[in-house]
Amino acid sequence: MELIVLTAPEWLPDETAALSALFEQGLQRLHLRKPAATSAETEAFIAGLPAAVRPRIVLHDHFALQPRLGLGGIHLNGRNPVPPSDVTGTVSRSCHSLAEVAAWRDRLDYLFLSPVFDSISKQGYRAGFAPEELLRAAREGIIDRRVMALGGITPDNLARVRAWGFGGAAVLGDLWQGYRGADDLPELLRRFGALQRAADFGR
């Protein structure tokens, strides 16, 4: 299963060093989501990461940076629902219903469906789908390898994500909870390693 990491929406201490360490440990795709950041702040942040990882970075904002910096792709959302014409990488999108997935799956490279489980990072954001609903969607071909589960992802529930037919999962809260800076890097890498092992199990 593919394992995607989303950044925390706020800036974190020593964040570029933490992300560089995650890339060194095998992170293949990072979604850079900082809704309040300016284009200049986003570009400066990317400049703090190794140039070699730029093809593995997907932007949620400031899409003009994607072709100019050689980034991996862009992610459509409520703030930015339309891709620019000069995008050279992947185009993905957030979905919050199975009807949205059915409408967009064949038009984009991959999709996020959320919330699959109760959110860890957003208090009160509850799972939006019953297990039997997800299984039925997989049987009908709505959920497939291009659909990534988002919301409440932990090592303990990745087996269910696989059983429901998702091609992977995107993680936010389980990874970044408790991270406050460089002193927390070992625990961050431990959490990521546990997610990696769960995602690889049964591959």
Side-chain angles (χ1 to χ4, degrees):
M1 290 178 61
E2 182 170 4
L3 186 62
I4 297 170
V5 167
L6 280 81
T7 63
E10 69 279 6
W11 300 113
L12 299 176
D14 307 303
E15 190 171 5
T16 53
L19 290 172
S20 296
L22 290 174
F23 280 117
E24 288 179 8
Q25 191 166 309
L27 174 60
Q28 292 301 306
R29 198 187 308 259
L30 173 74
H31 274 237
L32 179 51
R33 179 181 175 272
K34 303 286 185 184
T38 65
S39 178
E41 288 171 334
T42 301
E43 183 169 2
F45 184 78
I46 293 168
L49 296 168
V53 306
R54 290 187 178 186
R56 292 187 254 170
I57 298 173
V58 175
L59 289 177
H60 282 228
D61 298 278
H62 310 301
F63 292 163
L65 296 175
Q66 186 273 321
R68 184 156 66 80
L69 299 181
L71 305 177
I74 63 169
H75 185 81
L76 307 179
N77 50 56
R79 298 184 307 279
N80 304 290
V82 179
S85 59
D86 60 347
V87 170
T88 58
T90 61
V91 180
S92 53
R93 185 183 193 274
S94 294
C95 296
H96 302 287
S97 72
L98 291 168
E100 279 187 279
V101 172
W104 287 96
R105 191 193 61 239
D106 295 332
R107 299 161 61 183
L108 300 175
D109 293 290
Y110 61 97
L111 304 171
F112 287 172
L113 177 64
S114 69
V116 173
F117 301 102
D118 294 350
S119 176
I120 296 169
S121 60
K122 298 179 181 178
Q123 293 301 312
Y125 196 45
R126 311 291 290 182
F129 311 93
E132 57 270 19
E133 190 179 7
L134 297 173
L135 284 170
R136 182 169 62 252
R139 287 195 300 268
E140 294 173 355
I142 296 172
I143 294 176
D144 64 10
R145 300 291 297 175
R146 287 172 291 171
V147 184
M148 309 293 156
L150 172 64
I153 300 298
T154 71
D156 292 335
N157 59 34
L158 278 171
R160 279 179 281 169
V161 170
R162 181 183 292 104
W164 291 334
F166 289 94
V171 63
L172 172 57
D174 184 70
L175 181 64
W176 293 107
Q177 63 177 336
Y179 177 83
R180 299 293 181 269
D183 290 346
D184 300 315
L185 182 57
E187 174 62 14
L188 180 78
L189 296 178
R190 187 200 66 77
R191 288 179 179 275
F192 183 60
L195 287 159
Q196 284 178 306
R197 289 188 294 276
D200 287 342
F201 183 77
R203 175 176 288 185

